[in-house]
Amino acid sequence: MLLGAVSVLAFAPVHVWPILFVSFGGLVWLLDGCHGSRAALGGRLKCAGITGFWFGFGFFVSGLYWVAEAFLIEPWRHGWLIPFVMTALPAGMALFFAAACVLAMGLWRPGPARVFALAIAFGLAEYARGHVLTGFPWNLIGYGLLTNGPLMQLAALFGVYALSLVAVLLFAAPAAIWNANGRSRGAALLAGILFVLLGLGYVWGERRLASAPEGTTDVRFRIVQANVDQADKWRPENSAEIFAEYLDLTRTEGLDEMDLVIWPETALPFLLGDSPDALAAIGEALPQDTTLLVGVARVVDQRDPGGSLEGRAVFNSLLAVGNGGQILGSYDKMHLVPFGEYLPFQDFLEGLGFMQMTGVRGGFSEGTGPRLLDIPGLPPVWPLICYEIIFPDEIADQGPRAGWMLNVTNDAWFGSSAGPYQHFHQAQVRAVEQGLPVVRAANTGISAVIDPWGRVLAEIGLGEKGLIDANLPKVGPITTYAALGIKVEILVLMLGIFGWLVCRSARIGANLTGSYTTPMNQTGLGTHHQDADQPLLFTN
């Protein structure tokens, strides 16, 4: 559990990535203990599963502690749930790590083969974590390898899922040099090769950054970060003041030069589409040919074929508002947050008195797309609301290429914790993966402009009020990952399996030929030899 907990230091905002050599090295030795026990296969698998579970529990308790912040916004309603949430959520996520260790134990062989076994298993588990039950690919192991600019460029080749396998391979290899029977020359060779490849990757990343252009387009935009406290936001008496605050910040000098103004997710605590006076005020504030993109809730009547009202659907939406106050287009969030924006078995749990964090009766409804949003006079954009930006495959599978990505979010739920920093780092990696600029507007921060190489061109810090006026960066060249998507992930997995087979075959060959054996000592029984990867072998 402690090894899993310290692993989180490799991620934002700390980025002490060498700690993963300690945590995954320790995990290798713990699993060696499971494998070296005299238990039957079932006992070894059980030992590995328990080990993986507690490693994962420590990892997710430390990495997701900030979730508890959301339950303190209205502590009289949700505070009592913190002990349950902060055990159930990490425990549920830890099951993926438990499954990884069980699979690894099934493939476990002494020497370098066990490093490949662990990497394959964690690569599959991290991919499953990003897809099973709507998925939650937060702090994938691969992010620990992408902590700085040069290494972050590896995401353009492989994507973070494939790099999760590579990261485990790298961080586990040094510890695998030593096992219960001595030193493994095969694991030492593997570790050396991996360090050389890491160095080459760093050099390649530096050269990619050095040759990356810094050009921008003629599209000029303004990001507004009003820094509205989440605890005050939804009080009815504050809605007019919040709206006025956004308008006042928007009208700051230089607005006439802007093609676009961006307000964050759920910026306004009322239904803008049902508020003609507010739309008219926005229309008056915007100059000619300037568009506002604003995150708001949107309500749509649902009618039967006869036209009778059946109900109302509430969407977490992004609206494009023109300078006349008219709504030019909209995007409805497609990947909702479980227990935040909706409840599984919504009607049943609401009947028991439970409510998702947003407090919307019936929960938010899923949007149906299309993803690409066309705004007159602007390059087409992929809008990504809140944590939609943490799903790499969903962005890669969108079809026609956009000119930029827009991430509007409300990280005010999580205060000044590590959560907003982790979220921001993942947005940087999406920019590198896709070779597209990311424009990010957050209620309380971090708002920023990120170029296609992950470089932050402008930023408003967490807990600050302010504006960013900038030109939209140019699109980067299409990346290998953006072009091939899941094919890259499958290729890396196949290479991992191939490596495991080679190491396993080498071990079998060593047993048959007597190679890789080293004389240990002489006794009256003759000479006995020990393969560094094998139990003691006696020969007469």
Side-chain angles (χ1 to χ4, degrees):
M1 183 174 171
L2 179 60
L3 288 172
V6 299
S7 300
V8 177
L9 296 174
F11 301 90
V14 184
H15 290 305
V16 184
W17 61 270
I19 195 69
L20 293 177
F21 287 111
V22 176
S23 58
F24 276 95
L27 182 61
V28 167
W29 290 340
L30 288 173
L31 294 176
D32 276 343
C34 294
H35 187 263
S37 68
R38 297 186 178 183
L41 177 61
R44 295 198 299 271
L45 295 178
K46 179 181 178 181
C47 174
I50 292 171
T51 300
F53 176 84
W54 287 112
F55 182 88
F57 190 81
F59 181 84
F60 290 109
V61 163
S62 297
L64 299 176
Y65 79 91
W66 47 266
V67 172
E69 294 267 359
F71 292 82
L72 296 174
I73 299 297
E74 296 178 327
W76 57 91
R77 288 178 56 191
H78 304 296
W80 65 276
L81 288 169
I82 290 177
F84 302 98
V85 171
M86 293 316 298
T87 51
L89 177 60
M93 293 291 102
L95 293 176
F96 290 99
F97 282 20
C101 289
V102 169
L103 175 58
M105 186 54 54
L107 302 173
W108 208 257
R109 300 292 185 275
R114 70 200 204 274
V115 185
F116 281 100
L118 192 66
I120 291 165
F122 264 89
L124 290 171
E126 290 293 75
Y127 187 84
R129 183 159 70 90
H131 293 81
V132 174
L133 298 177
T134 79
F136 189 57
W138 195 277
N139 276 1
L140 295 169
I141 301 300
Y143 287 116
L145 193 60
L146 306 175
T147 56
N148 59 50
L151 286 178
M152 194 182 291
Q153 304 312 302
L154 294 173
L157 296 177
F158 301 107
V160 72
Y161 283 126
L163 286 171
S164 293
L165 187 155
V166 174
V168 175
L169 195 66
L170 172 68
F171 295 125
I177 295 172
W178 296 274
N179 58 34
N181 300 315
R183 185 173 179 270
S184 168
R185 287 174 292 174
L189 177 62
L190 174 63
I193 292 172
L194 289 171
F195 277 113
V196 170
L197 292 176
L198 179 65
L200 291 174
Y202 186 93
V203 171
W204 175 81
E206 277 196 323
R207 294 187 64 181
R208 187 173 191 263
L209 283 173
S211 61
E214 298 183 358
T216 58
T217 68
D218 294 332
V219 175
R220 191 153 176 80
F221 62 88
R222 168 170 289 176
I223 300 172
V224 178
Q225 181 171 305
N227 194 33
V228 177
D229 190 285
Q230 188 66 25
D232 299 327
K233 184 172 184 175
W234 295 100
R235 294 177 180 173
E237 64 272 19
N238 294 337
S239 61
E241 181 181 347
I242 292 171
F243 182 53
E245 178 74 7
Y246 274 102
L247 283 179
D248 289 343
L249 287 169
T250 298
R251 293 191 187 105
T252 302
E253 184 180 355
L255 180 60
D256 291 341
E257 303 173 6
M258 302 301 155
D259 301 296
L260 183 66
V261 177
I262 304 167
W263 296 356
E265 178 191 17
T266 56
L268 302 179
F270 56 86
L271 298 175
L272 179 61
D274 294 344
S275 306
D277 291 344
L279 285 170
I282 290 171
E284 291 175 5
L286 295 177
Q288 185 71 26
D289 299 325
T290 300
T291 303
L292 169 69
L293 287 176
V294 52
V296 291
R298 187 172 77 95
V299 175
V300 177
D301 291 338
Q302 295 179 317
R303 299 183 181 275
D304 62 19
S308 300
L309 183 65
E310 286 187 329
R312 308 186 82 192
V314 183
F315 297 96
N316 187 352
S317 300
L318 182 72
L319 298 184
V321 182
N323 67 297
Q326 73 279 22
I327 296 176
L328 305 175
S330 64
Y331 164 74
D332 300 322
K333 187 177 181 182
M334 298 167 66
H335 204 132
L336 302 175
V337 181
F339 302 100
E341 294 173 309
Y342 76 98
L343 295 175
F345 312 106
Q346 183 82 39
D347 293 339
F348 173 73
L349 290 178
E350 278 192 0
L352 295 178
F354 291 96
M355 182 68 71
Q356 64 276 353
M357 294 299 300
T358 52
V360 175
R361 176 65 61 181
F364 282 98
S365 299
E366 276 186 14
T368 56
R371 170 78 74 182
L372 210 60
L373 184 60
D374 285 311
I375 304 166
L378 299 175
V381 58
W382 281 347
L384 298 156
I385 298 177
C386 189
Y387 91 145
E388 286 186 316
I389 202 165
I390 75 171
F391 294 90
D393 288 350
E394 291 186 11
I395 298 173
D397 292 340
Q398 290 306 311
R401 197 176 190 218
W404 56 299
M405 292 185 285
L406 172 64
N407 181 213
V408 293
T409 187
N410 181 24
D411 290 349
W413 286 99
F414 310 113
S416 58
S417 67
Y421 294 98
Q422 293 171 3
H423 197 188
F424 179 69
H425 180 237
Q426 293 172 75
Q428 281 183 276
V429 174
R430 290 296 84 73
V432 179
E433 283 178 342
Q434 297 299 320
L436 292 175
V438 171
V439 176
R440 192 171 194 267
N443 180 26
T444 56
I446 306 166
S447 297
V449 182
I450 306 167
D451 80 358
W453 291 268
R455 297 175 296 197
V456 179
L457 305 182
E459 177 181 348
I460 308 174
L462 190 64
E464 299 176 9
K465 180 187 295 188
L467 303 173
I468 293 176
D469 290 348
N471 284 65
L472 183 67
K474 289 182 178 178
V475 175
I478 190 166
T479 64
T480 302
Y481 176 74
L484 299 179
I486 194 172
K487 297 183 183 70
V488 175
E489 296 157 5
I490 293 173
L491 175 62
V492 171
L493 176 61
M494 292 299 103
L495 289 174
I497 293 172
F498 177 74
W500 179 81
L501 290 172
V502 168
C503 294
R504 184 174 183 271
S505 299
R507 172 177 171 265
I508 293 172
N511 288 345
L512 294 176
T513 64
S515 59
Y516 304 107
T517 59
T518 304
M520 300 296 289
N521 58 44
Q522 301 289 328
T523 72
L525 296 173
T527 303
H528 67 259
H529 302 271
Q530 184 177 25
D531 183 343
D533 298 339
Q534 295 301 313
L536 205 59
L537 303 175
F538 287 90
T539 60
N540 196 340

